[in-house]
Amino acid sequence: MTTIEVPDIRIPTDLLPADGRFGSGPSKVRPEALAALAGVGVTWMGTSHRQAPVKAVVASVRSGLAELLRLPAGYEVLLGNGGTTAFWDAAVFGLIADHSQHLAFGEFSSKFAGAVAAAPHLEAPDVIESPPGTHPEVRAGEGIDLYALTHNETSTGVAMALRRPAGVAADEALVAVDATSAAGAVLFDPEEVDVYYLAPQKALAADGGLWLAACSPAAVDRIGRLRSPKRWCPPSLDLGIALDNSRADQTYNTPALATLFLVDQQLRWLNGNGGLEWAAARCGRSAAALYGWAEASDHASPFVADPAQRSPVVGTVDLDASVDAGTVSAVLRANGIVDTDAYRKLGRNQVRVGMFPAVEPDDVAALCACIDHVVAALTA
Ligand SMILES: *Cc1c(COP(=O)(O)O)cnc(C)c1O
């Protein structure tokens, strides 16, 4: 670990964004949602999750997510504790029958493949990789019962279109999509997926600790066929138990009440403003500001070469070798602009910018001007 001396560079106040949170997860939580939480603080926090007020919010989260994602009839929203990482473990027990295929193109998509590879009860997964900054394509294969895709690879800023593998019928294999950083911000057709799962500390602008999964009838059927006692599973990871509890607007064990409240606030805000189309257009404006700036800049360039694969929610921008991106992020942090650091394991001279629906497109444009200011000061 090297400690960076942070150069004393003050960014003029009129250049600064109104809100300096650009993290890719946890990400900016809207001040209005936090004020609403504070407003109900003493009647909400510290109350039972088995009583009507909390169950009503769980019901609202389930129906709000179904509305936002425009789920077809028959799809159900499940939820449980432990975030996306716990959901991967649950999927190892309760969604994959024998053999899965994984598109691995960054830290998160590779982690799910790794969890499957370590499971003694499953066949070794079919893992298709591509270099960071790109995504591989699905290859329909004999005997594959689950295809694992990632809507937005948060570590590299690569987004992919969601389609069932060519020639694979909807009831032949499940398509399971890690949508942790895309859900509620990127358009897709739910008919092309069976499990669209996420944790709410990214595009849904809440806090971590929870997983949510929109499941098609085929996915619900698979959960029923694999659930214990048919296959042993730790109860906290048992999707059958999660299904029963979700249908009763509960979780198997105690959830974080603040997280539930904040997810509900964000879903209401998104649905009330025009839903997924609106959110996607808003993120599109932020992304146009960031990538447009980077393309025009002589010290910055978009990391993802193919514009079609550039994420509209997590922007990765390489900086010229003459400026150290870590120093730029540190100077930004000293000026109240936080979490623009590159994903550490990617090891690039890069900034990474969360452009989720909660982030103001004008603030992204302001951030670009601030980076220009810092680069100019560092290279002067
Ligand atoms: C953040 C992230 C995860 C991990 O989520 P946790 O809730 O921390 O387990 C998984 N997948 C993607 C795409 C992510 O962005």
Side-chain angles (χ1 to χ4, degrees), residues 282-321:
R282 184 171 156 89
C283 294
R285 285 201 299 283
S286 294
L290 182 78
Y291 298 126
W293 160 78
E295 279 183 325
S297 167
D298 55 7
H299 51 258
S301 54
F303 167 52
V304 177
D306 179 356
Q309 297 191 359
R310 276 177 205 157
S311 169
V313 281
V314 175
T316 44
V317 172
D318 283 342
L319 297 186
D320 186 79

Short mmCIF file of all heavy atoms in Angstrom, two decimals, residues 282-321:
data_model
loop_
_atom_site.label_atom_id
_atom_site.label_comp_id
_atom_site.label_asym_id
_atom_site.label_seq_id
_atom_site.Cartn_x
_atom_site.Cartn_y
_atom_site.Cartn_z
N ARG A 282 -32.64 9.52 -18.27
CA ARG A 282 -31.85 10.36 -17.36
C ARG A 282 -30.41 9.87 -17.28
O ARG A 282 -29.46 10.66 -17.39
CB ARG A 282 -32.54 10.31 -15.99
CG ARG A 282 -31.96 11.19 -14.93
CD ARG A 282 -32.92 11.15 -13.73
NE ARG A 282 -32.27 11.48 -12.49
CZ ARG A 282 -32.16 12.71 -12.00
NH1 ARG A 282 -32.66 13.74 -12.67
NH2 ARG A 282 -31.56 12.94 -10.85
N CYS A 283 -30.22 8.55 -17.13
CA CYS A 283 -28.87 8.00 -17.11
C CYS A 283 -28.19 8.22 -18.46
O CYS A 283 -26.97 8.44 -18.51
CB CYS A 283 -28.90 6.51 -16.75
SG CYS A 283 -29.48 6.22 -15.08
N GLY A 284 -28.97 8.16 -19.53
CA GLY A 284 -28.42 8.40 -20.86
C GLY A 284 -27.85 9.81 -20.97
O GLY A 284 -26.80 10.01 -21.61
N ARG A 285 -28.50 10.79 -20.35
CA ARG A 285 -27.98 12.16 -20.39
C ARG A 285 -26.66 12.26 -19.62
O ARG A 285 -25.71 12.90 -20.05
CB ARG A 285 -29.01 13.14 -19.79
CG ARG A 285 -30.18 13.43 -20.72
CD ARG A 285 -30.89 14.74 -20.35
NE ARG A 285 -31.45 14.73 -18.99
CZ ARG A 285 -32.57 14.11 -18.64
NH1 ARG A 285 -33.25 13.44 -19.54
NH2 ARG A 285 -33.01 14.17 -17.40
N SER A 286 -26.61 11.59 -18.46
CA SER A 286 -25.36 11.59 -17.68
C SER A 286 -24.24 10.94 -18.47
O SER A 286 -23.11 11.46 -18.53
CB SER A 286 -25.56 10.82 -16.37
OG SER A 286 -26.47 11.50 -15.53
N ALA A 287 -24.55 9.79 -19.09
CA ALA A 287 -23.53 9.05 -19.83
C ALA A 287 -23.05 9.85 -21.04
O ALA A 287 -21.85 9.87 -21.35
CB ALA A 287 -24.08 7.70 -20.27
N ALA A 288 -23.99 10.55 -21.71
CA ALA A 288 -23.60 11.36 -22.86
C ALA A 288 -22.64 12.47 -22.41
O ALA A 288 -21.66 12.79 -23.10
CB ALA A 288 -24.83 11.95 -23.54
N ALA A 289 -22.91 13.05 -21.25
CA ALA A 289 -22.02 14.10 -20.72
C ALA A 289 -20.64 13.54 -20.45
O ALA A 289 -19.62 14.12 -20.84
CB ALA A 289 -22.62 14.71 -19.45
N LEU A 290 -20.58 12.38 -19.78
CA LEU A 290 -19.28 11.81 -19.39
C LEU A 290 -18.47 11.35 -20.60
O LEU A 290 -17.31 11.72 -20.78
CB LEU A 290 -19.47 10.64 -18.42
CG LEU A 290 -18.16 10.03 -17.91
CD1 LEU A 290 -17.55 10.90 -16.82
CD2 LEU A 290 -18.36 8.61 -17.39
N TYR A 291 -19.08 10.50 -21.43
CA TYR A 291 -18.32 9.95 -22.56
C TYR A 291 -18.03 11.02 -23.61
O TYR A 291 -16.98 11.00 -24.26
CB TYR A 291 -19.05 8.76 -23.18
CG TYR A 291 -19.23 7.58 -22.22
CD1 TYR A 291 -20.49 7.03 -21.99
CD2 TYR A 291 -18.14 7.03 -21.56
CE1 TYR A 291 -20.66 5.96 -21.11
CE2 TYR A 291 -18.29 5.97 -20.67
CZ TYR A 291 -19.56 5.43 -20.46
OH TYR A 291 -19.72 4.38 -19.59
N GLY A 292 -18.96 11.95 -23.77
CA GLY A 292 -18.73 13.05 -24.72
C GLY A 292 -17.54 13.88 -24.29
O GLY A 292 -16.66 14.23 -25.11
N TRP A 293 -17.48 14.15 -23.00
CA TRP A 293 -16.33 14.89 -22.46
C TRP A 293 -15.03 14.11 -22.67
O TRP A 293 -14.03 14.65 -23.13
CB TRP A 293 -16.57 15.16 -20.96
CG TRP A 293 -15.31 15.47 -20.21
CD1 TRP A 293 -14.62 16.65 -20.18
CD2 TRP A 293 -14.58 14.56 -19.37
NE1 TRP A 293 -13.51 16.53 -19.37
CE2 TRP A 293 -13.46 15.26 -18.86
CE3 TRP A 293 -14.77 13.23 -18.98
CZ2 TRP A 293 -12.53 14.67 -18.00
CZ3 TRP A 293 -13.85 12.64 -18.12
CH2 TRP A 293 -12.75 13.36 -17.65
N ALA A 294 -15.07 12.81 -22.33
CA ALA A 294 -13.84 12.00 -22.41
C ALA A 294 -13.35 11.91 -23.86
O ALA A 294 -12.15 11.98 -24.13
CB ALA A 294 -14.09 10.61 -21.84
N GLU A 295 -14.30 11.76 -24.79
CA GLU A 295 -13.89 11.63 -26.20
C GLU A 295 -13.26 12.92 -26.72
O GLU A 295 -12.36 12.88 -27.55
CB GLU A 295 -15.08 11.23 -27.06
CG GLU A 295 -15.34 9.74 -26.96
CD GLU A 295 -16.46 9.25 -27.85
OE1 GLU A 295 -17.44 10.01 -28.04
OE2 GLU A 295 -16.37 8.11 -28.32
N ALA A 296 -13.77 14.05 -26.22
CA ALA A 296 -13.26 15.34 -26.70
C ALA A 296 -11.98 15.76 -25.98
O ALA A 296 -11.29 16.67 -26.41
CB ALA A 296 -14.34 16.41 -26.52
N SER A 297 -11.68 15.09 -24.87
CA SER A 297 -10.57 15.52 -24.03
C SER A 297 -9.23 15.01 -24.55
O SER A 297 -9.14 13.94 -25.15
CB SER A 297 -10.79 14.97 -22.61
OG SER A 297 -9.62 15.10 -21.85
N ASP A 298 -8.16 15.79 -24.29
CA ASP A 298 -6.84 15.28 -24.68
C ASP A 298 -6.16 14.55 -23.53
O ASP A 298 -5.07 14.00 -23.70
CB ASP A 298 -5.95 16.40 -25.26
CG ASP A 298 -5.82 17.57 -24.30
OD1 ASP A 298 -6.31 17.45 -23.16
OD2 ASP A 298 -5.22 18.59 -24.69
N HIS A 299 -6.78 14.49 -22.34
CA HIS A 299 -6.18 13.73 -21.24
C HIS A 299 -7.08 12.62 -20.73
O HIS A 299 -6.78 11.99 -19.72
CB HIS A 299 -5.78 14.68 -20.10
CG HIS A 299 -6.89 15.59 -19.66
ND1 HIS A 299 -6.96 16.91 -20.03
CD2 HIS A 299 -7.98 15.35 -18.92
CE1 HIS A 299 -8.05 17.45 -19.51
NE2 HIS A 299 -8.69 16.52 -18.84
N ALA A 300 -8.22 12.39 -21.40
CA ALA A 300 -9.13 11.33 -20.93
C ALA A 300 -9.71 10.62 -22.15
O ALA A 300 -9.84 11.20 -23.22
CB ALA A 300 -10.27 11.95 -20.12
N SER A 301 -10.05 9.32 -21.96
CA SER A 301 -10.71 8.59 -23.05
C SER A 301 -11.54 7.46 -22.45
O SER A 301 -11.15 6.87 -21.44
CB SER A 301 -9.68 8.04 -24.04
OG SER A 301 -8.73 7.27 -23.33
N PRO A 302 -12.69 7.16 -23.06
CA PRO A 302 -13.52 6.07 -22.53
C PRO A 302 -12.73 4.75 -22.56
O PRO A 302 -12.06 4.46 -23.55
CB PRO A 302 -14.71 6.01 -23.49
CG PRO A 302 -14.74 7.36 -24.16
CD PRO A 302 -13.30 7.79 -24.24
N PHE A 303 -12.82 3.98 -21.48
CA PHE A 303 -12.09 2.70 -21.40
C PHE A 303 -12.73 1.68 -22.34
O PHE A 303 -12.04 0.90 -22.99
CB PHE A 303 -12.12 2.22 -19.95
CG PHE A 303 -11.71 0.78 -19.76
CD1 PHE A 303 -10.50 0.32 -20.28
CD2 PHE A 303 -12.50 -0.11 -19.04
CE1 PHE A 303 -10.09 -1.02 -20.10
CE2 PHE A 303 -12.11 -1.42 -18.86
CZ PHE A 303 -10.91 -1.88 -19.38
N VAL A 304 -14.05 1.64 -22.41
CA VAL A 304 -14.75 0.63 -23.21
C VAL A 304 -14.76 1.11 -24.66
O VAL A 304 -15.37 2.14 -24.98
CB VAL A 304 -16.17 0.39 -22.67
CG1 VAL A 304 -16.93 -0.61 -23.54
CG2 VAL A 304 -16.11 -0.09 -21.21
N ALA A 305 -14.08 0.34 -25.52
CA ALA A 305 -13.88 0.80 -26.90
C ALA A 305 -15.19 0.85 -27.68
O ALA A 305 -15.44 1.80 -28.44
CB ALA A 305 -12.87 -0.12 -27.59
N ASP A 306 -16.02 -0.17 -27.53
CA ASP A 306 -17.26 -0.25 -28.31
C ASP A 306 -18.36 0.60 -27.64
O ASP A 306 -18.81 0.26 -26.54
CB ASP A 306 -17.70 -1.72 -28.39
CG ASP A 306 -19.00 -1.89 -29.17
OD1 ASP A 306 -19.60 -0.87 -29.58
OD2 ASP A 306 -19.41 -3.06 -29.35
N PRO A 307 -18.78 1.69 -28.28
CA PRO A 307 -19.78 2.56 -27.65
C PRO A 307 -21.06 1.80 -27.25
O PRO A 307 -21.70 2.14 -26.26
CB PRO A 307 -20.08 3.61 -28.73
CG PRO A 307 -18.86 3.63 -29.58
CD PRO A 307 -18.33 2.22 -29.58
N ALA A 308 -21.40 0.74 -27.98
CA ALA A 308 -22.61 -0.02 -27.67
C ALA A 308 -22.48 -0.77 -26.34
O ALA A 308 -23.48 -1.13 -25.73
CB ALA A 308 -22.92 -1.00 -28.79
N GLN A 309 -21.25 -1.03 -25.91
CA GLN A 309 -21.05 -1.78 -24.65
C GLN A 309 -20.75 -0.85 -23.48
O GLN A 309 -20.60 -1.31 -22.35
CB GLN A 309 -19.91 -2.79 -24.82
CG GLN A 309 -20.21 -3.87 -25.86
CD GLN A 309 -19.20 -5.02 -25.85
OE1 GLN A 309 -18.25 -5.03 -25.09
NE2 GLN A 309 -19.43 -5.99 -26.73
N ARG A 310 -20.67 0.46 -23.75
CA ARG A 310 -20.38 1.41 -22.66
C ARG A 310 -21.58 1.51 -21.73
O ARG A 310 -22.69 1.77 -22.17
CB ARG A 310 -20.06 2.79 -23.23
CG ARG A 310 -18.64 2.93 -23.63
CD ARG A 310 -18.36 4.29 -24.26
NE ARG A 310 -17.19 4.14 -25.13
CZ ARG A 310 -16.89 4.92 -26.16
NH1 ARG A 310 -17.67 5.97 -26.45
NH2 ARG A 310 -15.82 4.68 -26.89
N SER A 311 -21.30 1.34 -20.45
CA SER A 311 -22.38 1.37 -19.47
C SER A 311 -22.97 2.77 -19.34
O SER A 311 -22.25 3.74 -19.22
CB SER A 311 -21.85 0.94 -18.11
OG SER A 311 -22.81 1.20 -17.13
N PRO A 312 -24.31 2.86 -19.32
CA PRO A 312 -24.94 4.15 -19.05
C PRO A 312 -25.02 4.47 -17.55
O PRO A 312 -25.49 5.54 -17.18
CB PRO A 312 -26.34 3.98 -19.64
CG PRO A 312 -26.61 2.51 -19.51
CD PRO A 312 -25.28 1.81 -19.63
N VAL A 313 -24.57 3.55 -16.69
CA VAL A 313 -24.69 3.77 -15.25
C VAL A 313 -23.36 3.77 -14.49
O VAL A 313 -23.27 4.36 -13.41
CB VAL A 313 -25.63 2.73 -14.59
CG1 VAL A 313 -27.08 3.10 -14.82
CG2 VAL A 313 -25.35 1.32 -15.09
N VAL A 314 -22.35 3.10 -15.03
CA VAL A 314 -21.02 3.11 -14.41
C VAL A 314 -20.02 3.43 -15.50
O VAL A 314 -19.70 2.59 -16.33
CB VAL A 314 -20.69 1.74 -13.76
CG1 VAL A 314 -19.25 1.74 -13.23
CG2 VAL A 314 -21.66 1.41 -12.63
N GLY A 315 -19.55 4.67 -15.52
CA GLY A 315 -18.65 5.10 -16.58
C GLY A 315 -17.20 4.91 -16.18
O GLY A 315 -16.79 5.34 -15.09
N THR A 316 -16.41 4.26 -17.05
CA THR A 316 -14.99 4.10 -16.78
C THR A 316 -14.21 4.92 -17.81
O THR A 316 -14.41 4.78 -19.01
CB THR A 316 -14.57 2.62 -16.85
OG1 THR A 316 -15.18 2.01 -18.00
CG2 THR A 316 -15.03 1.86 -15.61
N VAL A 317 -13.34 5.79 -17.29
CA VAL A 317 -12.59 6.70 -18.16
C VAL A 317 -11.11 6.61 -17.81
O VAL A 317 -10.72 6.82 -16.66
CB VAL A 317 -13.11 8.15 -17.96
CG1 VAL A 317 -12.22 9.14 -18.71
CG2 VAL A 317 -14.56 8.28 -18.42
N ASP A 318 -10.31 6.25 -18.81
CA ASP A 318 -8.85 6.20 -18.62
C ASP A 318 -8.28 7.60 -18.68
O ASP A 318 -8.73 8.42 -19.50
CB ASP A 318 -8.21 5.36 -19.73
CG ASP A 318 -8.38 3.86 -19.50
OD1 ASP A 318 -8.69 3.48 -18.34
OD2 ASP A 318 -8.22 3.09 -20.46
N LEU A 319 -7.30 7.86 -17.85
CA LEU A 319 -6.60 9.15 -17.92
C LEU A 319 -5.23 8.94 -18.56
O LEU A 319 -4.65 7.84 -18.49
CB LEU A 319 -6.46 9.77 -16.53
CG LEU A 319 -7.76 10.14 -15.81
CD1 LEU A 319 -7.47 10.88 -14.51
CD2 LEU A 319 -8.68 10.96 -16.70
N ASP A 320 -4.74 9.97 -19.18
CA ASP A 320 -3.44 9.93 -19.82
C ASP A 320 -2.36 9.58 -18.78
O ASP A 320 -2.46 9.97 -17.61
CB ASP A 320 -3.15 11.31 -20.44
CG ASP A 320 -1.87 11.30 -21.24
OD1 ASP A 320 -1.90 10.80 -22.38
OD2 ASP A 320 -0.83 11.75 -20.69
N ALA A 321 -1.32 8.86 -19.24
CA ALA A 321 -0.27 8.40 -18.33
C ALA A 321 0.45 9.56 -17.63
O ALA A 321 1.07 9.37 -16.57
CB ALA A 321 0.74 7.55 -19.09
#
